[in-house]
Amino acid sequence: AMELRLRSAVHQAEGIRDDAIADLIGYDAAAAREARDRWTPIVVLRNPAPRQRSGVAIVEIEEFIADVPVGPNSAPTSPSAVATAPSSRAPVVDGLGRLQVLSRDRRYSRTESPHHYPDNDLVAVTRVAAWVTDCPAYGLVAYPIATREAPRRRFNTPRVVARGLLLENDALTLAVLADGSVTLTDRESGRGIESLFTFVDEADVGDLYTPAPRPRHVAIEYRGAKGLHRGPLRAELALRYRVVDKSAARRLTDVELTVHLVLDAGARFVGVAITGDNRRADHRLRLMIRTGIAPTQVWADAAFGCVRRERLHIGPNEAAVEAAPPTDPLHRYVSVFNDTSGCTLFSDGLAEYEARDDGSLLVTLVRSVGQLSRNDIPERPGHAGWPVPTPKAQCVGPFAATLAVMLHGPRDASTIGAIERTADDLLSPLGGVTMRSALHVPAPVRGVELVGAGLAFSTVKESEDGQWLVLRCVNLLDHDVSGSWRVPFEVIEARLARLDETPSSVLVADGGEVLFHAEPRAIVTILVR
C-alpha cells in the first residue's frame, strides 16, 4: 500500500512539474497539436538547485522516425518506416557543448493535448552525457535539435578517461585491482584509500522494532568487472560480487551484487550505484566505506543542517529496557573529519548508517526480518508490539541503492560549502528531456537563487495564507553570514518571519534581490511579494 502511494505521489509531482515547465517556457499543448508542420524539437535542460551550475547533465534526445496511428485504418498496408533502423549518427543539439552517447533505443512517444487525441510516433532515443555551462539557478534553458550531421569540433571542457579498469579526471583516480578491491586517490593532495569498500553481511534475529545482529560465516566473492563508458564526460565500470553462505552443507549464494562506479568530468566525487538480488531471510547486508580517517568527528545531515553525532552511552537501567544501537539515522550525507582531512558519504534514500572508531562508515542496504515484534532477543527483552508475522519484510528479491563518496579537507567553511554543493549535484542533478512539439525555442528562464557562503537551501513555497512566497535557508556555519535571495520579479515587500510564517521585521529589497543576515546555525525564513 505504501509503495502504491509513493508511486502515485511521484506521478502527480511529475505532472505538476511538467505543467509548470510548460507555463514557464510558453508552451501550449493544444496550439502545438494544431500546428504539426511548425514543430521545432528542443532539448529543455533543468537545474533543480538554487545556484547557477555547470557540469555533466544526462539528457534523453528523441528524434522522429515514423508516425504510428492508432484506431481505425491503422493497420499497415505496405512496409513502412516503422521497421527502419534509426540513424547511427550522434544527435546534434545547437548551442549545447560536448555530447557523449551513453545508449540508444527506440520507443513510442505520445504527444498529449487536452483537446485532441494523443499523437503517437516511433522515435529514436539517444541518452547522452552533455556538458552544460552556467545553467541558471532553479532555471530552464532550451536548445534546438538539428537535423544535420555534427561537424568535428574541439571542446575546451573538463574530461574523464577510462583505461582498462582505471578511471581518471582532473581531481580523482579510481582503479580496480585483480582481487576486486578499489583504490581512490585525490590527485592534488596525493591522499588515497587502498580498499575503498567492502560488504558486511550478518545474521539478524531481531524484529521490525529492534535489530539483533549476529555473526555469520560468509564470503564476499569478486566475480569480475567490465567497462561501460570510457569518457570524455562519463566513465563507468560495473563490478560483480556475491555473498556466499559458507556454513551451509553446499555453498549457497545469498546475494548477487553489481556495483557501478561512475566518474564524471569535473566531479570531485565518485558515484556508486548498487543493484542486487537478495535470496536470504533474517540477515542485514551493509556497504562499508573505508575513509582512512581516525580519530574522527562525525557530522550528519539533518532536517535543518548537519549536526555533530557521538556514540550514545546509556546506563544499566535503560539498557535493561533496550540496548543502545550503534547506528544513526541518515539524511542526505554523513561526514567524518580529523584535523587535516575528511570524507563524506552521500546517500539517495538509504536511512541508516554506523560510524566506527577507525573512521569506517557502514550503510544498511537490506535488512531482512520476519516478525513485527519478538520477545526473545536480549537487545530488548519483551514485546514492543503485537507478535505478527511480516514475511514481506524479509525483502527477498531485487534492490537498488545510489551513493557517492567525496574526499576533502578538514571541517571548515570552504569544506562545508563544498559538501552542500555536492549534495545538490548528486541528489538534484542537471538533466534534460526532449520536447518534440515545441513551436519555438524559448528564452532561458531564471528562477530563485540563494547567495552566501555556508547557506543551505531549505524551502521555496507559497505561504499558508497564499499572500507570500516563503524562502527559507539555514546557516551551516558557526559565525554570522550575510546573504541574499534573488528572485525573477520585482519585490515590493520583504519580511523576516518565524518558522510558522508569522511576519516580523522589514528587510531591504533592491529590485529582485532581498538582503538578509544569518546568525550562527540560524534558520532564516523570509516572506516576499
Side-chain angles (χ1 to χ4, degrees):
M2 178 62 75
E3 218 169 86
L4 180 62
R5 289 195 291 271
L6 289 171
R7 284 201 299 269
S8 176
V10 169
H11 293 158
Q12 292 179 60
E14 288 174 344
I16 292 170
R17 179 200 66 196
D18 293 347
D19 286 349
I21 290 173
D23 286 345
L24 287 168
I25 65 175
Y27 173 77
D28 185 325
R33 278 298 308 278
E34 295 175 356
R36 176 73 185 256
D37 59 328
R38 292 170 47 209
W39 282 13
T40 303
I42 60 174
V43 164
V44 180
L45 280 171
R46 184 175 67 250
N47 176 10
R51 60 184 175 88
Q52 181 174 283
R53 287 197 289 179
S54 300
V56 174
I58 304 303
V59 182
E60 284 197 344
I61 301 173
E62 292 185 5
E63 296 176 286
F64 176 82
I65 297 177
D67 183 58
V68 182
V70 176
N73 303 317
S74 62
T77 57
S78 62
S80 69
V82 172
T84 303
S87 170
S88 61
R89 67 173 178 82
V92 180
V93 182
D94 285 341
L96 199 56
R98 183 194 299 273
L99 301 182
Q100 175 191 339
V101 174
L102 302 177
S103 65
R104 301 179 189 273
D105 196 9
R106 294 198 305 176
R107 68 180 178 216
Y108 296 108
S109 175
R110 284 183 293 278
T111 302
E112 305 281 356
S113 163
H115 302 151
H116 302 80
Y117 193 74
D119 177 77
N120 191 47
D121 295 322
L122 181 69
V123 297
V125 182
T126 308
R127 184 170 177 265
V128 304
W131 184 262
V132 178
T133 302
D134 297 336
C135 194
Y138 259 124
L140 304 166
V141 183
Y143 302 92
I145 299 174
T147 57
R148 64 184 184 276
E149 294 286 337
R152 296 184 66 86
R153 297 171 57 191
R154 287 186 174 273
F155 295 95
N156 185 24
T157 60
R159 294 175 61 91
V160 61
V161 297
R163 294 186 290 272
L165 298 182
L166 182 143
L167 310 181
E168 191 169 65
N169 66 8
D170 291 340
L172 300 169
T173 298
L174 183 144
V176 179
L177 306 183
D179 62 356
S181 62
V182 175
T183 66
L184 178 63
T185 305
D186 182 291
R187 298 185 64 189
E188 180 178 350
S189 67
R191 173 187 164 201
I193 301 174
E194 291 191 357
S195 184
L196 179 63
F197 68 85
T198 189
F199 295 95
V200 176
D201 194 285
E202 305 161 299
D204 193 333
V205 299
D207 54 28
L208 286 178
Y209 287 95
T210 304
R214 302 289 186 269
R216 194 162 87 84
H217 195 38
V218 299
I220 310 299
E221 296 184 352
Y222 172 57
R223 306 290 293 169
K226 66 177 180 179
L228 299 181
H229 303 298
R230 308 189 65 80
L233 296 178
R234 168 159 291 187
E236 182 174 350
L237 301 173
L239 289 63
R240 293 184 299 114
Y241 302 86
R242 67 184 180 189
V243 181
V244 176
D245 184 356
K246 297 181 68 175
S247 63
R250 59 189 182 89
R251 294 169 66 86
L252 298 175
T253 298
D254 289 340
V255 186
E256 294 275 3
L257 292 156
T258 302
V259 179
H260 292 258
L261 301 176
V262 180
L263 186 60
D264 284 347
R268 299 198 64 87
F269 63 90
V270 175
V272 182
I274 300 172
T275 57
D277 182 17
N278 177 41
R279 303 171 187 173
R280 185 179 179 91
D282 300 316
H283 76 122
R284 180 175 64 174
L285 175 67
R286 297 191 288 177
L287 175 73
M288 182 169 74
I289 299 292
R290 298 183 178 93
T291 68
I293 297 173
T296 61
Q297 288 186 10
V298 180
W299 288 78
D301 190 36
F304 292 108
C306 52
V307 295
R308 175 83 180 269
R309 290 264 173 81
E310 294 184 353
R311 184 67 57 84
L312 181 63
H313 297 285
I314 61 177
N317 292 337
E318 294 141 307
V321 177
E322 184 166 7
T327 56
D328 288 295
L330 177 59
H331 197 48
R332 294 179 302 159
Y333 58 81
V334 55
S335 303
V336 293
F337 299 95
N338 61 18
D339 293 338
T340 60
S341 58
C343 180
T344 295
L345 175 65
F346 301 87
S347 166
D348 188 2
L350 299 175
E352 178 183 83
Y353 79 90
E354 177 186 348
R356 292 187 172 171
D357 292 339
D358 65 356
S360 297
L361 294 169
L362 290 86
V363 179
T364 302
L365 301 175
V366 174
R367 181 168 179 258
S368 304
V369 290
Q371 294 287 329
L372 177 65
S373 177
R374 300 178 59 155
N375 65 354
D376 59 350
I377 53 176
E379 285 85 351
R380 191 210 65 236
H383 279 301
W386 299 114
V388 178
T390 56
K392 288 193 176 181
Q394 295 289 6
C395 299
V396 174
F399 64 91
T402 304
L403 308 103
V405 179
M406 177 183 177
L407 305 181
H408 49 71
R411 190 173 189 274
D412 55 24
S414 173
T415 299
I416 291 170
I419 292 171
E420 192 65 28
R421 290 192 300 272
T422 302
D424 283 342
D425 292 340
L426 178 73
L427 304 176
S428 301
L430 293 164
V433 295
T434 298
M435 182 176 284
R436 293 187 300 111
S437 55
L439 300 182
H440 67 285
V441 181
V445 176
R446 183 174 64 88
V448 174
E449 183 176 5
L450 174 62
V451 180
L455 297 176
F457 167 78
S458 175
T459 304
V460 172
K461 64 180 284 288
E462 186 182 75
S463 63
E464 295 302 306
D465 63 9
Q467 302 301 307
W468 304 85
L469 180 68
V470 179
L471 306 172
R472 181 174 295 127
C473 67
V474 181
N475 179 7
L476 300 178
L477 306 181
D478 296 322
H479 57 76
D480 292 6
V481 169
S482 295
S484 70
W485 285 99
R486 296 172 182 171
V487 295
F489 56 84
E490 187 81 13
V491 176
I492 60 174
E493 186 178 7
R495 304 282 293 271
L496 271 177
R498 304 189 320 192
L499 274 173
D500 65 1
E501 301 176 13
T502 301
S504 59
S505 58
V506 176
L507 292 173
V508 174
D510 181 11
E513 185 171 24
V514 179
L515 307 177
F516 65 91
H517 175 80
E519 295 183 350
R521 309 287 294 175
I523 303 168
V524 181
T525 302
I526 295 173
L527 307 178
V528 300
R529 59 186 174 191

